Amino acid sequence: MAGTSAVIFVPDDTNKTGYGRPLMLSRIMGSPLLSWLVSALIARGAGRFFLVCHEQWATEARACFPAGVDLMVAGSADAADLLHVFLSTAEDEDRETVVVTGPAVFVSTRLTAQANVIPAPSCVYHVDREALMDALDEKFSFLEFLRQRGKAYADRDGVYSIRSGEELAAWQPTLNLQHLHDLIRGGVEIWDYQNCYVDPTVRVGKGTVLMPGTILRGGTVIGENCVIGPNALLENTIIGDRTTVNSSQLYDAHVGSDTTVGPFAYIRPNSHIGDHVRLGDFVEVKNSTIGDGTKVSHLTYVGDSDVGRNVNFGCGTVTVNYDRAKKSRTTIEDDAFIGCNTNLVAPVTVGRGAYTGAGSTITDNVPSGALAVARARQTNKREWANRHKLKESK
């Protein structure tokens, strides 16, 4: 792709298509077409972007660009003046500029035969930057300038214009497969290309294995030598190196290295999981921090909590964080041991190295090194079962 600057127009074609948003913001596997387009341009060398978009769609369109990218956004009224500034600040060696005037996809020519679509007139051009700047000083037709002075990318270049939602859907398997091939070239192992879905904004480290049923969305970043899946959904989640996520769902979370999650764990937003942590089956974590080395093996809810290092949770532990009026936090300090079926009624603190007895409901702070037991003393009624034995039904 010639040039490192790209100009993208997002036309408001909702009246034409009848859709609720412009076609360029319609979604493929949950990501707007514009996200796929931007990712393709970046992969082909574009580093600076000028976006022209109606104010109604500007926020949604901005979200299609990676954080930190050089981006200038304009409405139709001030587009010409701002575009002149954008072009004039480009590097001297950036002699050509890519211009995208409508919905389009960039597809490897090796894969285009798989998509059953008919090529349409191109809406992607590259033009001489200086010539475009000169034209902006005069009243002119932008599209006419592109036709006369620009060079259109065509299907032979792997660039296809999209005219409808049906065509957009037809490209979905090809775009996903192309992105999976890009991951493979980066050292990722994928077991089933037909049952693995990865957004264009997702990054996966080398040596990582994506097993069948894996869905990676949004700003998810996976480290190296991880195993994700089978049947795992991660959205806007950061995963460290050598971590396993098995049959679990994670949203807006951060998980460290050498950690295991699942099967059947649910990690909700604003959760920060440390290194060498074990989150086992049917564990739910929400808005909590869990320190390195902590084990939460099964059937446990950790919500609105600050958990230290090397804490052990017994099966059936619940942090009772909500009293219908407000949510309160639980603090568990390093090396604590939480017995099975413990209820920790927030706000409450379990001190360093403290224990809670199985079956306890803890409502007061537990001092460091103490054992807290909060349950009724057991009473045995001798011979009660023999006196009240029920007759077995026939």
Side-chain angles (χ1 to χ4, degrees), residues 44 108 110-111 177-190 193 204 206:
R44 288 161 174 78
S108 169
R110 295 180 292 104
L111 300 175
L177 182 60
Q178 176 171 265
H179 187 40
L180 296 182
H181 284 179
D182 291 341
L183 294 177
I184 285 291
R185 284 190 288 273
V188 178
E189 178 182 342
I190 299 173
Y193 293 93
V204 184
K206 63 182 179 181

Side-chain angles (χ1 to χ4, degrees), residues 12-19 163:
D12 186 356
D13 51 13
T14 53
N15 289 333
K16 177 182 177 181
T17 63
Y19 301 145
R163 297 161 295 186

